[in-house]
Amino acid sequence: MTLINSDPEAAIAFAGRWRVEGGNVLPRQCLGMAYAAQEKWASAMTAFEQAANASEAAKDGRAAGIWVQAGNAALAAGDAVRARGYLDAALILGTLTGADAGLTHLDRARALVAAGDPVRARTDLDMAIKLVPEDPLAWLLSATLARRAGDLDRAQKDIEEAVKRAPDDVSVALEAGNIAAMLGHDAAAQTAWEAAARLAPESAQGRAAQRALEQFEDQAAAAPPKR
């Protein structure tokens, strides 16, 4: 872990020597983490998958957590199908509990949304909210999914929960504006988007908020002059 933080290439070499010298699960897991530190997601996925399979064979109790690592590497790589498979494998083992299980359901919901399966994603998000109710990301993703499904009452309730937990999060502010706009609450939408643009003006979310705000500028320019 020290090498991963300071010199990922050295960590990769170390893990390789460890495997040659007789290591099995842990060197493969460390190899995956070293690749992840370098954002080499395809290599990380392969290493984590090998580590998880070795862990299942050894019955050492580490497999579920390693499958989760594989799933997150796949999500980072943009491979939603493999991410879903890895996270399925993690949950099927039945060893994840509490927050660990909740976060894994949240990760699988992300994969399912990316794979175009919003129905199953809703089931996972509801479970995530139940198991990790203080996680603002669970409420944010639930609100976004509800908005896309046209359930604006649910979207509004869930984004309010996200705002309570992460009032300074640019993604939360952007989504709050999106939902308010769909509800026809223009003033609330403008306030939320202004907050998003102010919180992280150079981020993708901040730029999206700024583009959304342009409609109000256009409306003001098109309005007849006051007499």
Side-chain angles (χ1 to χ4, degrees):
M1 287 303 299
T2 300
L3 281 174
I4 287 169
N5 293 327
S6 62
D7 189 346
E9 284 292 346
I12 290 170
F14 181 91
R17 291 194 301 272
W18 190 1
R19 284 176 55 195
V20 169
E21 292 168 2
N24 190 13
V25 177
L26 290 178
R28 294 177 189 276
Q29 184 181 18
C30 288
L31 184 62
M33 295 169 71
Y35 282 131
Q38 295 182 307
E39 299 186 359
K40 295 179 178 178
W41 302 117
S43 297
M45 281 190 289
T46 298
F48 285 134
E49 182 177 348
Q50 291 174 349
N53 283 323
S55 178
E56 287 196 13
K59 298 181 180 179
D60 62 6
R62 295 188 176 97
I66 302 173
W67 283 123
V68 172
Q69 289 178 301
N72 277 282
L75 281 170
D79 191 336
V81 173
R82 290 183 71 179
R84 180 179 60 185
Y86 292 145
L87 295 164
D88 283 346
L91 289 164
I92 286 169
L93 289 173
T95 57
L96 296 173
T97 60
D100 290 336
L103 293 172
T104 304
H105 280 286
L106 180 56
D107 289 337
R108 190 169 68 176
R110 292 165 55 209
L112 288 165
V113 168
D117 191 347
V119 175
R120 284 187 61 197
R122 168 50 63 197
T123 299
D124 271 322
L125 281 175
D126 288 345
M127 182 60 71
I129 287 172
K130 178 180 178 180
L131 294 173
V132 283
E134 294 308 312
D135 191 321
L137 181 59
W139 293 105
L140 170 61
L141 294 184
S142 182
T144 301
L145 192 64
R147 172 178 61 80
R148 291 174 178 173
D151 187 353
L152 296 183
D153 287 340
R154 173 74 186 268
Q156 180 64 32
K157 291 176 183 177
D158 287 356
I159 200 62
E160 287 173 358
E161 295 294 334
V163 170
K164 288 178 187 176
R165 291 160 175 80
D168 295 326
D169 185 286
V170 62
S171 296
V172 171
L174 175 63
E175 185 59 31
N178 294 342
I179 293 167
M182 289 193 69
L183 287 166
H185 302 161
D186 287 353
Q190 185 172 1
T191 297
W193 285 332
E194 286 173 347
R198 183 178 63 255
L199 285 166
E202 299 305 317
S203 68
Q205 297 90 338
R207 290 193 294 269
Q210 188 57 54
R211 289 193 298 272
L213 285 167
E214 290 173 1
Q215 65 183 288
F216 296 108
E217 297 172 4
D218 294 341
Q219 290 171 7
K226 294 181 179 180
R227 296 183 179 180

